C-alpha cells in the first residue's frame, strides 16, 4: 500500500490552511462580489446595495474558559465578535443567527444567562436574532455566530484598498483585552486551591470589561458616514495589530510604517503589564480580541478623521517592497511579524 503524505496543520498555519482548502473555489454566481479573504463575504443585493455576511465559532477551552467567563458576558461577546466583522466592511449590522453545541453539564438556567447577554447586545446594536441551530456537544460548549449587514456598494471597505501614503488609523486603544485575559488567568492559578476564592481585580475593571464584554464599534462606522469618509481599507482588530496590519498589507499589496509611540495604550494596560513584568507594546501588537477597527484613509482626510475624536493616526502606507515596519522612538525599524500565521 502506498503511504499517503501526512501534513501537520502547524506546517501550514491558520491562513495557509484556509488558502489550501478554499483556493479551488472560484466564484460562479454574479451576485458574489467577494468570497473568502475579507472580514465578511459581500453579496449583491440589487439597487446598488450589498449584503455582508460573516461567521465565527467560539469553543469552550479554546476561545473561552467557563471557570471565569460569565455566560451572560459570553453571549454579549459572541454578538460583538460577529457584528465587528460586519462593521469592518463599513456596513450596518442588521441580523444575527446563533448556533449552539450544548454540553449536558450546563443547566437550562446557564443557557438563559447566555441568551440574556445575546439579547442585551442585540438591543444595544438594534439588530435582530433571526435563527440558529441547537445540537448536543460531547466536549464543551460551542457558540457559532453568523452576522449579516448591509451597505451601499460603493461604501464597502475591503482589506485590499489601501493606497500609497494613506494614513493608518486606529479606534480606541490596544492590548487591554489581552491584559484582561492574563489577569483572569493569573487569579485562576493563584486561587485554584482556595476554598472561598476572592479574586483581586481592583483598579483593573476596564481590562476585564474589554476582555469579557467588548463593545462593537458601531459608533465609528456611523461617524465615518456622518463625516463622509469611506476608508480605503479596514479590518477588525481580532488577532492583534501586527497580524491585522499585515493582512491589510497582504491584501492591498503595500507596506506600512507604524510609529511605536503613537500606538494608543490605556493606563490600566500599562500598569498591569508593568506589574506582570510584560511589555504593553507586545500586548498591543500580538494581543488581539480588542475588536477595535484599523483603517486607512487618504492623507487629505486627516482633518476629518481627527474631528471624529477617539481616533489615532499611527502611521502610513508605504510601497510593498519596503515591507511593514514598526518605528521605535530612537528611529530604528523593526519588521512587523504576525502571530497565528506564517508569513510568505
Ligand atoms: P476573522 O478572523 O475575521 O473572523 P478568519 O481569519 O477566521 O476571519 O478567516 C479569514 C477568511 O477566510 C475569511 O474571509 C473567512 O470567511 C475565510 N474562512 C475561514 N475559515 C474558512 C473555512 N473553513 N472555509 C472557508 N472559508 C474560510
Ligand atoms: Mg475579522
Amino acid at each position: 500500500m502506498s503511504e499517503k503524505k501526512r501534513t501537520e496543520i502547524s506546517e501550514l498555519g491558520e491562513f495557509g490552511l484556509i488558502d489550501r482548502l478554499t483556493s479551488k473555489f472560484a466564484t460562479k454566481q454574479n451576485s458574489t462580489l467577494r468570497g473568502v479573504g475579507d472580514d465578511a463575504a459581500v453579496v449583491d443585493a440589487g439597487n446598488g446595495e450589498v449584503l455582508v455576511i460573516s461567521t465565527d465559532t467560539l469553543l469552550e477551552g479554546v476561545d473561552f474558559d467557563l471557570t471565569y467567563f460569565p455566560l451572560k458576558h459570553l453571549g454579549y461577546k459572541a454578538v460583538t465578535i460577529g457584528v465587528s466583522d460586519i462593521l469592518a466592511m463599513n456596513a450596518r449590522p442588521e441580523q444575527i443567527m446563533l448556533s449552539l453545541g450544548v454540553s449536558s453539564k450546563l443547566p437550562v438556567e446557564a443557557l438563559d444567562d447566555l441568551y440574556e447577554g445575546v439579547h442585551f447586545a442585540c438591543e444595544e446594536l438594534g439588530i435582530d436574532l433571526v435563527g440558529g441551530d441547537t445540537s448536543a456537544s460531547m466536549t464543551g460548549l460551542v457558540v457559532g455566530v453568523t452576522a449579516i449587514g448591509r451597505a451601499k456598494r460603493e461604501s464597502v471597505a475591503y482589506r485590499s484598498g489601501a493606497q500609497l501614503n494613506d494614513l493608518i488609523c486606529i479606534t480606541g486603544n490596544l492590548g487591554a483585552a489581552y491584559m484582561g485575559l492574563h489577569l483572569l488567568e493569573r487569579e485562576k492559578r493563584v486561587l485554584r486551591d482556595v476554598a472561598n476564592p476572592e479574586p483581586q481585580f481592583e483598579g483593573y475593571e476596564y481590562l476585564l470589561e474589554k476582555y469579557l464584554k467588548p463593545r462593537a464599534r458601531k459608533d465609528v462606522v456611523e461617524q465615518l458616514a456622518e463625516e463622509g469618509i469611506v476608508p480605503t481599507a479596514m479590518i477588525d482588530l481580532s488577532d492583534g495589530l501586527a497580524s491585522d496590519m499585515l493582512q491589510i498589507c497582504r491584501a492591498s499589496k503595500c507596506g506600512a510604517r507604524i510609529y511605536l509611540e503613537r500606538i494608543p495604550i490605556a493606563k490600566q494596560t500599562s500598569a498591569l503589564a508593568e506589574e506582570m513584568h510584560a511589555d504593553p507594546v507586545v500586548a498591543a501588537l500580538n494581543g488581539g480580541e480588542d475588536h477595535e477597527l484599523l483603517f486607512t484613509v487618504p492623507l487629505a482626510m486627516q482633518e476629518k478623521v481627527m474631528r471624529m475624536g477617539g481616533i489615532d493616526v499611527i502611521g502610513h502606507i508605504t510601497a510593498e517592497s519596503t515591507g511593514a515596519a514598526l518605528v521605535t522612538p530612537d528611529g530604528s525599524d523593526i519588521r512587523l511579524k504576525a502571530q497565528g500565521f506564517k508569513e510568505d
Side-chain angles (χ1 to χ4, degrees):
M1 210 170 71
S2 72
E3 262 188 48
K4 236 182 157 188
K5 184 171 183 296
R6 182 191 153 92
T7 311
E8 298 303 328
I9 291 170
S10 58
E11 287 175 46
L12 295 179
E14 183 188 345
F15 292 91
L17 177 66
I18 295 171
D19 277 351
R20 175 168 160 147
L21 297 178
T22 60
S23 58
K24 285 191 194 75
F25 290 78
T27 56
K28 290 178 285 296
Q29 296 285 344
N30 288 334
S31 57
T32 308
L33 301 180
R34 183 65 58 105
V36 174
D38 219 303
D39 287 290
V42 180
V43 174
D44 192 359
N47 295 327
E49 292 199 328
V50 297
L51 291 176
V52 297
I53 308 159
S54 159
T55 196
D56 281 286
T57 312
L58 301 174
L59 301 175
E60 182 180 349
V62 178
D63 299 297
F64 59 89
D65 183 335
L66 284 184
T67 54
Y68 56 70
F69 214 124
L71 278 152
K72 199 169 150 183
H73 289 78
L74 183 65
Y76 183 96
K77 185 168 176 173
V79 178
T80 294
I81 289 171
V83 165
S84 197
D85 280 327
I86 300 302
L87 296 168
M89 305 302 290
N90 203 30
R92 296 182 310 276
E94 293 187 343
Q95 290 89 13
I96 58 158
M97 294 184 133
L98 212 81
S99 307
L100 291 184
V102 187
S103 70
S104 56
K105 67 175 197 274
L106 287 179
V108 174
E109 286 75 13
L111 300 173
D112 284 340
D113 286 347
L114 181 80
Y115 268 67
E116 210 182 301
V118 171
H119 187 257
F120 190 80
C122 286
E123 291 300 301
E124 206 174 72
L125 291 160
I127 60 172
D128 298 326
L129 171 71
V130 294
D133 190 40
T134 308
S135 53
S137 164
M138 298 306 280
T139 50
L141 176 64
V142 181
V143 182
V145 58
T146 299
I148 304 167
R150 186 184 296 272
K152 291 225 172 64
R153 191 165 170 167
E154 68 272 15
S155 304
V156 176
Y158 295 98
R159 293 177 181 177
S160 53
Q163 303 288 327
L164 191 65
N165 299 328
D166 277 358
L167 300 173
I168 300 170
C169 307
I170 211 156
T171 65
N173 59 75
L174 300 186
Y178 179 81
M179 291 316 297
L181 168 62
H182 277 261
L183 182 61
L184 288 160
E185 287 285 343
R186 180 178 77 176
E187 294 303 300
K188 181 183 166 182
R189 273 195 309 276
V190 170
L191 302 172
R192 186 166 288 156
D193 304 317
V194 179
N196 293 305
E198 279 187 34
Q200 296 297 313
F201 295 137
E202 231 175 272
Y204 294 129
E205 292 80 3
Y206 172 71
L207 303 181
L208 294 183
E209 183 165 331
K210 277 297 269 186
Y211 178 69
L212 296 172
K213 193 172 168 279
R215 291 176 73 120
R217 298 306 309 267
K218 192 179 166 209
D219 57 326
V220 172
V221 169
E222 286 168 354
Q223 270 185 305
L224 285 168
E226 276 166 30
E227 291 290 344
I229 303 171
V230 176
T232 45
M234 185 145 68
I235 189 168
D236 149 47
L237 279 163
S238 55
D239 292 340
L241 177 60
S243 172
D244 292 322
M245 186 69 243
L246 284 166
Q247 294 276 28
I248 287 186
C249 289
R250 196 164 78 137
S252 299
K253 300 194 176 10
C254 66
R257 276 176 86 73
I258 289 176
Y259 296 90
L260 191 148
E261 79 272 18
R262 293 204 202 157
I263 298 174
I265 293 174
K267 278 204 186 76
Q268 290 191 9
T269 306
S270 308
L272 182 61
E274 194 179 321
E275 193 188 313
M276 288 185 163
H277 309 290
D279 185 347
V281 174
V282 172
L285 287 174
N286 299 332
E289 293 201 71
D290 287 309
H291 295 292
E292 296 291 345
L293 297 170
L294 173 69
F295 61 93
T296 56
V297 293
L299 198 57
M301 294 278 173
Q302 181 155 23
E303 231 173 83
K304 278 189 174 182
V305 166
M306 297 323 287
R307 202 160 53 209
M308 285 171 61
I311 310 273
D312 281 289
V313 174
I314 58 167
H316 58 267
I317 296 294
T318 58
E320 188 176 22
S321 56
T322 61
L326 184 69
V327 186
T328 62
D330 65 11
S332 52
D333 282 13
I334 303 169
R335 196 162 172 247
L336 268 194
K337 284 219 168 62
Q339 282 195 333
F341 77 101
K342 275 168 67 170
E343 268 184 278
D344 305 322

